[in-house]
Amino acid sequence: MARIPVHTTESAPEQSRDELKALEAKFGKVLNIHGEMAHSPAVLQSYIAIQQVIADYGSFDARTREAIALAVGNADECNYCQAAHTGGGKAAGLTNDEMIAIRRGGAEFDAKLDALLTLARQYTTNIGSVEDTVWQAALEAGWTDEQLTELTVHVTLNLLTNYFNHFIETELDLPAAPAL
């Protein structure tokens, strides 16, 4: 059971209502994570702001963004985010086998993506530290300095949601990700 109740668009603090309504329209319902974030307009607004910055200035396509989210969600053992991004990954063109491979720690089906995800996993599990060889491998795979720098905002967004879900104990209201 979650530590806090899930707000509806009617019960949420006034400063969270418009954003919660927009998220409800986008997903067809108030997802538990969003209804829980709504308790604090600062949390909900931060989450939305990071997503908007990525939408406005990010260079990664939806497939790459979802792959990063799956890799980080698995590294952080966030079942909620793995479930959410399995749905998102499917919509972005990843196959079930590809998403399972990503969650298991590899993306052999795409060497360029694999290099980026190796960097993302190491960044996540080593509290931001990465080996020079892993950074260099990502560059050699075709990623740019700009994109490797941008990776920080994607990992940060996913750390925010992963840690939030662990902290609040968000109950899964989405189809579970396939077992590994």
Side-chain angles (χ1 to χ4, degrees), residues 37-80:
M37 285 181 167
H39 281 271
S40 170
V43 172
L44 188 60
Q45 296 286 354
S46 295
Y47 166 76
I48 291 168
I50 295 170
Q51 287 189 323
Q52 190 61 54
V53 167
I54 289 170
D56 291 347
Y57 301 104
S59 64
F60 296 139
D61 63 13
R63 181 177 177 267
T64 302
R65 290 190 310 267
E66 293 299 333
I68 293 166
L70 286 165
V72 174
N74 188 66
D76 282 341
E77 300 176 1
C78 182
N79 293 329
Y80 194 94

Side-chain angles (χ1 to χ4, degrees), residues 2 5 18-19 24 28 41 47 50 60 62 66 73-74 83 91 96 98 105 107 140 142 152 164-165:
D18 288 344
E19 290 74 15
E24 179 181 37
Y47 166 76
I50 295 170
F60 296 139
E66 293 299 333
N74 188 66
N96 284 334
E98 289 170 340
E140 290 171 5
T152 63
F164 179 85
N165 289 321

Side-chain angles (χ1 to χ4, degrees), residues 68-86 102-105 120-121 124-125 155 158-172 177-178 180:
I68 293 166
L70 286 165
V72 174
N74 188 66
D76 282 341
E77 300 176 1
C78 182
N79 293 329
Y80 194 94
C81 288
Q82 289 180 76
H85 293 288
T86 293
I102 289 166
R103 291 174 51 224
R104 284 188 174 147
R121 280 186 206 91
T124 301
T125 59
V155 171
N158 287 286
L159 289 173
L160 169 66
T161 57
N162 293 176
Y163 285 16
F164 179 85
N165 289 321
H166 289 309
F167 185 61
I168 301 301
E169 297 181 349
T170 304
E171 289 185 31
L172 193 58
L180 295 182

Side-chain angles (χ1 to χ4, degrees), residues 5-13 20 30-32 34-36 38-40:
V6 176
H7 271 304
T8 65
T9 54
E10 293 79 29
S11 69
L20 196 56
V30 172
L31 296 176
N32 286 349
H34 300 147
E36 292 164 348
H39 281 271
S40 170

